[in-house]
Amino acid sequence: MTRDLPTWRSLLYVPASAEKFVAKAHERGADAVILDLEDGVAPDAKAAARAGLPGSVASVRRNGAEVLVRINRPLRMAVQDIAAAVAAGADALVCTKMMGADHVRLLSELTAESEAEAGRPIGSVRFVVLVEDAPALAHAQSIAAADPRVVALGVGGEDLATDLGAEPTPDALDLPKRMGLVAARAAGVLPLGFIGTVAGLKDLDGYRAMLRRSRAIGFACASCVHPSQVPIINEEYGARPEEVERAKRLVAAFEAALAEGKGAVAFEGDMIDKPIVDRARKLISRAGV
């Protein structure tokens, strides 16, 4: 298995038990759709939602979105969720309330067994891991680096705030979210999320400003629960055309300087060197051009 990071910007949560939401999820423009078997599904509806995954997975990927399934934490339920998601063809699992690196590896082993049973290549199903309590936050980097399946790590604000005895305010969550970002980048995976809390749906300007700040800090992608948030995430976490064009010019200027034996060069009023060029190359790659 090799760590091949996705190019997600937006990941839209859809309760796997809500047929009307599942039916329209492919129209929302999200890079990935998360079929939720956990908090978004009532306990007495989980079995039916799990059984319906083959149809739900096929439905939500009709416009090319990748499909993730958020599984439950209790191990007995997780085993069932993993088997059903893998058999249904899910691209990735959202693994909740991670305890540590051994927890990741255990879920990876269970997933490999389900892949073998379903006739899928071992390692083809990726993981998004969620850190949602204080003990796990202290081990976020080892969680993110525990297995090649892991491609993204996020810090769950509501659950973590509850565990900390705090209100889920920007002040309370600022440090934990930054810790998750650093842990993800150090492990070479995508930092999922944003700094702050989700603004009310009527304050989309505030939501956009929060995302823009978070992207500047280093977050790569974000999940959301309402379709109105998808285009804003795509715009703020995506590469703008003018940014891509400038990045191309920057790389070309640097390569020309290297050909002349220079390690740094003036470019459009700034001095650029290798770290700046590396960021430009990543932006170009993220834009897929």
Side-chain angles (χ1 to χ4, degrees):
M1 292 183 292
T2 58
R3 206 181 294 259
D4 183 18
L5 298 183
T7 56
W8 300 326
R9 298 162 299 173
S10 57
L11 299 90
L12 174 66
Y13 274 104
V14 178
S17 57
E19 294 182 6
K20 66 177 182 178
F21 295 147
V22 171
K24 289 188 172 293
H26 70 288
E27 301 173 356
R28 305 306 190 184
D31 296 327
V33 175
I34 303 172
L35 292 168
D36 189 14
L37 294 177
E38 197 213 17
D39 290 347
V41 178
D44 60 359
K46 289 184 186 290
R50 188 186 300 120
L53 282 180
S56 298
V57 169
S59 175
V60 302
R61 70 155 39 112
R62 278 180 284 171
N63 281 343
E66 293 198 71
V67 186
L68 292 75
V69 175
R70 180 162 74 163
I71 65 174
N72 289 278
R73 158 69 181 276
L75 189 57
R76 186 173 297 181
M77 297 177 68
V79 170
Q80 299 176 70
D81 293 345
I82 290 170
V86 173
D91 300 299
L93 304 175
V94 179
C95 304
T96 59
K97 301 176 176 65
M98 302 309 300
M99 294 184 287
D102 286 343
H103 190 185
V104 179
R105 288 189 280 267
L106 173 62
L107 296 184
S108 181
E109 182 177 336
L110 291 168
T111 303
E113 292 174 0
S114 293
E115 287 168 334
E117 186 174 343
R120 298 184 61 176
I122 303 300
S124 59
V125 177
R126 297 171 291 179
F127 285 178
V128 173
V129 291
L130 300 183
V131 169
E132 301 181 82
D133 60 30
L137 184 62
H139 301 287
Q141 185 176 337
S142 63
I143 289 171
D147 191 276
R149 292 184 190 276
V150 179
V151 294
L153 176 140
V155 173
E158 295 291 335
D159 286 292
L160 181 62
T162 299
D163 190 58
L164 295 173
E167 295 293 326
T169 62
D171 274 351
L173 295 175
D174 188 274
L175 177 60
K177 292 291 187 79
R178 289 175 188 267
M179 290 173 66
L181 187 157
V182 172
R185 292 296 187 188
V189 305
L190 300 177
L192 168 72
F194 41 77
I195 293 288
T197 57
V198 178
L201 294 178
K202 293 182 180 179
D203 183 18
L204 293 181
D205 289 339
Y207 184 70
R208 181 183 295 278
M210 181 267 293
L211 289 174
R212 184 166 297 179
R213 174 172 175 255
S214 301
R215 181 70 185 95
I217 290 170
F219 284 95
C221 51
S223 60
C224 60
V225 296
H226 195 277
S228 66
Q229 297 168 325
V230 170
I232 302 175
I233 295 174
N234 286 346
E235 290 171 12
E236 295 304 327
Y237 277 27
R240 296 182 179 86
E242 61 271 20
E243 293 177 321
V244 175
E245 290 306 312
R246 185 177 189 277
K248 289 179 179 178
R249 296 195 306 272
L250 187 152
V251 170
F254 186 73
E255 289 177 346
L258 283 182
E260 297 175 2
K262 301 175 183 177
V265 63
F267 172 76
E268 297 183 3
D270 296 317
M271 290 300 297
I272 60 172
D273 56 10
K274 186 177 183 299
I276 296 173
V277 177
D278 287 344
R279 285 201 299 273
R281 288 190 171 121
K282 287 180 180 179
L283 188 148
I284 294 168
S285 175
R286 184 177 177 82
V289 296

